Amino acid sequence: MVDAIQRWLLRLAPIPVLALVLLSLIAIFFWVPTDAGLGLSQRIFYYHVPAATSCFIAFAGGGIGSALYLYTRRPVWDHAAHAFVSVGMLFATIVLVTGAIWARTAWGTWWTWDSRLTTFLLLWLVYASYLLLRTLTRDNEMGPRYAAVLCIVGALNVPLVMLATRLFRTIHPQVINNPQGGISDPRMVTTLMLSMAAEIALMLWLWALCVSTLRLGERVNLLSEESYRRSVPS
Amino acid sequence: MNTITGSGALPYVGAAYAAFFVLIFLYAWRLTSATRRLSERVEELERENRSAPR
């Protein structure tokens, strides 16, 4: 199933992804009105929020893939989970960078130990340790199992990050599902939805590309072992 | 708080979008170059294994 989805995405995704990204940029810079309160800097939000959504989806996908790997022990699920974490980390880094830039304009500081920011940084660190673990246990057959457990622990942290603005005191804006201060202009909502579709599509295409690289890496390892066995007389 | 409003925020908006596209481009470039390199290696190893005596 993973193979079919990955091949389908690699073949069909590039053109729709490019079209969605271009459309979202046109909407952000030429169509959507400027926010009365936050001004120009609010436009960062149209790529910051979808990047956060994409990384949450990727980390959730990684958790599901890891659980399926632990249950079935089929490498295809391990590759799917590894690729989801790799792509999720890219989008999580984008969230941290764009968030820091926005914070400088709105709060006058690049970083503050707010509950949403702190829980998100913890999530980023958990998945950074996942990628480090994958690198360090490359030749260890238990590596994927340890990594799968860590990935599930990280995925369990995702709801905490998402609910941090409701559970704890925070200065982080709550723009979605917030009757007091969320976005209400239909053009803003449409632009956000367009950017959301563009980034989720981009995330899925990069995931397919990453799965393909991981599978090729595994094939190289298998062929190298075969080649070595043939070269050494038994 | 030392907030930045009006057209003063424009460089920050530009920097945020530039950071987004640079990170995406670097990641996609790293993946595509790794895929190309690994595909060549697979072909090379398959050739070697086919020609090697059993």
Side-chain angles (χ1 to χ4, degrees), chain A residues 114-177:
Chain A
D114 174 78
S115 58
R116 168 58 74 84
L117 275 70
T118 309
T119 49
F120 194 87
L121 181 66
L122 279 176
L123 187 73
W124 189 91
L125 288 170
V126 168
Y127 283 107
S129 59
Y130 173 95
L131 293 180
L132 190 66
L133 181 70
R134 296 297 319 216
T135 309
L136 295 175
T137 59
R138 200 169 277 163
D139 300 321
N140 185 336
E141 61 182 35
M142 287 297 282
R145 277 187 238 178
Y146 298 142
V149 173
L150 186 59
C151 188
I152 292 168
V153 171
L156 294 177
N157 194 21
V158 169
L160 180 72
V161 182
M162 290 173 78
L163 294 172
T165 51
R166 294 173 201 274
L167 295 174
F168 311 109
R169 266 166 41 128
T170 177
I171 56 167
H172 190 280
Q174 172 72 36
V175 287
I176 297 169
N177 284 337

Side-chain angles (χ1 to χ4, degrees), chain A residues 10 38 164 202:
Chain A
L10 277 182
L38 290 166
L202 185 61

